[in-house]
Amino acid sequence: MTMSDGFYFYPGCSYETAAGYKESVDAVCSRLDIRLEEVPGWNCCGSTAGFSLQGDYGVYHPALVMARASRAGAKELVTGCNGCFNTLRKTRKLLLQDQDLYARTRDKILQEGGPDSAPQLPVRHLLQVLSSRGQMHKSPLSPDMSGLRVAAYYGCLFSRPWTDVDDPEHPQMLDRYIEGLGFTPVNYSLKTACCGAAHALAYREQTEMLVERIIRSMQDKQADLAAVICPLCQLNLESAQLSLGLPRLPVLFFTQVAGLALGVPKKELGLDKLLIEPGKI
Amino acid sequence: MRFLHSHKTLEPEHQETLSRSFFQGRAGKEVQHCIQCGTCSGSCPLAGEMDLGPRRVLDLLRDGFMEDVLRSRTIWLCVSCNACLTRCPRGIPVPDVMYVLRVMALEHGLACRGYKMPDVYQGFLRQVEKRGRVNESRLVAGYGLLHPSDMPGRLSLALRLLRRRRI
C-alpha cells in the first residue's frame, strides 16, 4: 500500500544532523511503503525564538511552512520534531481562532510574494503516522531482542496543550508502538519531563540537571535504551549523560528502534552516529 | 545611594501604560483568571533557578509591578515546556505570558545581558530571516562570540559530534 501523494514531510532544521534520524526514517518508510514527499523550499518554523521575539506574530514562519506545503498539494503535513510539531499545531489553532491574527499573517505572506496561507492543513507527528500502521511490523523478534527494555520518552511538547494528540500527563502512543514492535516498554515517571530544549545552550548546568533526573528515572526501571521522537531531545539526553559522567543509556530515535524490529541492517539505521553506542543490540 | 540598587527606571505612568497594554492582549486577559494556587510554580522544571516563580510573576502583573517582572530572569528562564499550562486549573497559557513579557522587556531595554536567552533567540531568528533555515553549528558559534565563557564546556561535545559526522 502506498500513501497518497497528499502526504508532505517537514523535516525541520535539526533533522539532517540528528543521529541517524534521516537514515532510519528513510529505511523504515521505504520498507513500509510510506512515501514522504519533502515540503519544497521549506523554511524554519521559528520555534520558541519566533514567539519570544514577536509574541503571537511568531505564527508567521510556521504559517509560511503550512502555506508552502499546501501550495505543493499537501493534504497533511508530517514532522518528526516535537518543537516543529508543537509550533505548527499551535499556529494552526491560533490562526483558526483569531481572525485578526490570521488576516495580518496572511497579508504579510502574500505581500512578500508567498503562497496563500492554509490554516486548516492537518499537522501530524511522524509517530502518529507510523503508529497507525503498527500492525504492519508485527514480526517475531529474537528472544534477546524482545527482552530489550525500551523507555519511551515523549519529551514535553508532543502531547501537551496545543497538540492534543495523546494524554498530556500519561501519553501512551510511543509505549504501544514499542510494544507492537515486540520490545518491552518500561514504565517510568518522567516520560514527559522537559529535556531543557534550546536552553541547553545558555543554561547548560540547569538543563543537564533535568536530563540527569530523566535518565536516572529510566535506569531505576532497568531500561536498556531510550526511544525518542525529537532531534533536540535526542541530543540533550545523549550529551548531558557524557558531560555528567552518568552510567550510559543509549538514546535511539524511535525509527531506529523500529528499523531493528523490521530487520533493517544496522548500517542503514545510522546507529554509528550515536554518541552512546548501543552495545546490547 | 542604597536606592540605586533597585535600578528602577520606569515612571509610574509608563508602568501603567505597559500594564494596560499587557492586559489587553490574549495572554493578559487570561492572567485575570489566576487563582494563585501555585500549580504552575510547582510544575515548572526550572522554578528553582528563577528569581520569581511563575505564580509570583502573575501576581506581580496583576498588582501592576511591570518593571519588576520585565527585569526578572524568570521570564527568560521559561523553557516553554507547557507543564504549567497542562496543569493550570484556569487554563492560563503561562508560556505565552512569558513571550509577551519578553517582547516588552526587549523593547524597553530591560533584559539583562546575563540572561543570555535574548542572544540565543535573536541569533536564531536572524538566521531564519537571512537564510530561511537554522544551521545549529552557526547558531552555537554566534552565541559563543557573545558568551565565550560558556564555550569550553561545549567544545568536547562539538568534537564528539564532529567525529560522528554530525556537524
Side-chain angles (χ1 to χ4, degrees):
Chain A
M1 187 172 92
T2 305
M3 281 262 179
S4 75
D5 284 328
F7 204 68
Y8 275 71
F9 186 60
Y10 175 62
C13 303
S14 307
Y15 184 66
E16 202 79 32
T17 54
Y21 205 7
K22 185 180 188 319
E23 291 88 333
S24 56
V25 170
D26 287 348
V28 167
C29 286
S30 83
R31 275 163 184 81
L32 297 179
D33 232 350
I34 296 174
R35 247 185 77 194
L36 288 175
E37 198 80 52
E38 192 168 299
V39 176
W42 59 268
N43 57 281
C44 170
C45 73
S47 186
T48 44
F51 291 113
S52 295
L53 301 179
Q54 301 165 335
D56 276 357
Y57 295 111
V59 299
Y60 169 76
H61 290 105
L64 186 56
V65 172
M66 292 166 75
R68 284 180 163 149
S70 178
R71 179 172 62 182
K75 301 272 183 306
E76 243 178 71
L77 189 57
V78 178
T79 180
C81 167
N82 280 357
C84 301
F85 181 56
N86 199 284
T87 303
L88 289 162
R89 295 277 294 193
K90 177 175 180 175
T91 294
R92 191 171 179 276
K93 272 199 172 174
L94 287 178
L95 291 177
L96 290 173
Q97 77 187 31
D98 184 340
Q99 288 290 319
D100 183 53
L101 183 68
Y102 170 63
R104 288 175 76 158
T105 307
R106 180 174 179 261
D107 289 351
K108 191 176 172 209
I109 292 177
L110 289 176
Q111 268 165 26
E112 287 164 3
D116 203 353
S117 64
Q120 293 87 0
L121 187 66
V123 176
R124 290 213 287 173
H125 194 290
L126 185 62
L127 171 63
Q128 292 178 278
V129 176
L130 294 188
S131 282
S132 64
R133 13 213 81 213
Q135 290 307 93
M136 300 178 69
H137 20 70
K138 276 249 164 113
S139 52
L141 292 183
S142 63
D144 53 325
M145 285 266 269
S146 64
L148 273 180
R149 296 175 58 82
V150 181
Y153 177 70
Y154 299 83
C156 55
L157 291 178
F158 173 72
S159 64
R160 283 185 181 163
W162 300 114
T163 73
D164 309 312
V165 294
D166 202 342
D167 187 281
E169 300 275 12
H170 304 288
Q172 288 296 310
M173 203 180 293
L174 185 55
D175 289 84
R176 297 291 77 82
Y177 185 65
I178 287 166
E179 199 173 44
L181 292 171
F183 298 102
T184 309
V186 176
N187 213 357
Y188 69 106
S189 56
L190 296 180
K191 293 178 183 178
T192 61
C194 174
C195 74
H199 278 57
L201 182 53
Y203 290 97
R204 190 161 72 98
E205 282 170 29
Q206 289 86 341
T207 57
E208 285 183 346
M209 189 181 74
L210 303 181
V211 174
E212 178 169 7
R213 285 209 308 245
I214 295 165
I215 297 293
R216 288 205 188 280
S217 155
M218 293 170 174
Q219 286 173 331
D220 283 348
K221 297 293 171 76
Q222 288 85 45
D224 294 310
L225 57 96
V228 301
I229 57 174
C230 166
L232 195 50
C233 295
Q234 202 280 338
L235 180 62
N236 283 349
L237 253 53
E238 211 179 31
S239 63
Q241 288 188 58
L242 295 175
S243 62
L244 291 172
L246 298 177
R248 296 178 180 189
L249 185 79
V251 183
L252 276 67
F253 284 106
F254 76 108
T255 42
Q256 290 174 313
V257 176
L260 290 170
L262 287 168
V264 178
K266 287 173 194 167
K267 257 180 82 182
E268 271 185 66
L269 295 172
L271 295 176
D272 54 323
K273 288 193 173 178
L274 299 168
L275 298 182
I276 298 172
E277 282 163 33
K280 265 198 170 182
I281 36 184
Chain B
M1 287 304 279
R2 295 184 56 146
F3 289 107
L4 282 179
H5 201 68
S6 63
H7 296 296
K8 293 282 195 298
T9 54
L10 293 188
E11 299 296 328
E13 304 80 59
H14 195 178
Q15 292 215 52
E16 268 172 44
T17 318
L18 287 178
S19 174
R20 246 195 319 278
S21 124
F22 173 77
F23 282 105
Q24 273 162 8
R26 176 176 65 87
K29 282 179 189 151
E30 299 282 345
V31 171
Q32 298 288 21
H33 302 132
C34 174
I35 53 171
Q36 288 291 296
C37 66
T39 302
C40 48
S41 294
S43 305
C44 177
L46 288 177
E49 305 291 324
M50 292 173 171
D51 41 6
L52 313 165
R55 181 198 64 79
R56 277 198 81 194
V57 166
L58 303 194
D59 193 31
L60 290 169
L61 283 170
R62 281 202 303 205
D63 284 343
F65 292 102
M66 290 306 286
E67 183 163 2
D68 295 81
V69 170
L70 292 173
R71 282 189 186 281
S72 73
R73 177 168 130 120
T74 299
I75 64 173
W76 295 102
L77 259 181
C78 168
V79 201
S80 314
C81 76
N82 287 337
C84 49
L85 169 58
T86 305
R87 295 173 188 165
C88 175
R90 310 308 303 264
I92 298 170
V94 183
D96 287 340
V97 170
M98 302 300 176
Y99 294 146
V100 177
L101 297 171
R102 285 170 185 176
V103 175
M104 272 189 183
L106 286 179
E107 223 170 65
H108 296 88
L110 298 172
C112 168
R113 193 149 182 273
Y115 294 165
K116 305 194 280 192
M117 288 313 287
D119 292 322
V120 174
Y121 294 138
Q122 278 163 347
F124 190 99
L125 220 56
R126 219 175 296 129
Q127 276 199 49
V128 179
E129 266 144 30
K130 220 163 115 187
R131 304 161 195 279
R133 296 178 192 175
V134 170
N135 175 304
E136 288 159 327
S137 312
R138 207 185 284 270
L139 181 72
V140 176
Y143 174 83
L145 290 175
L146 297 170
H147 301 277
S149 61
D150 280 355
M151 284 302 103
R154 299 273 88 177
L155 210 61
S156 59
L157 173 62
L159 289 174
R160 284 193 179 108
L161 293 174
L162 208 59
R163 225 175 295 139
R164 303 242 177 0
R165 295 170 286 114
R166 281 169 65 179
I167 46 176

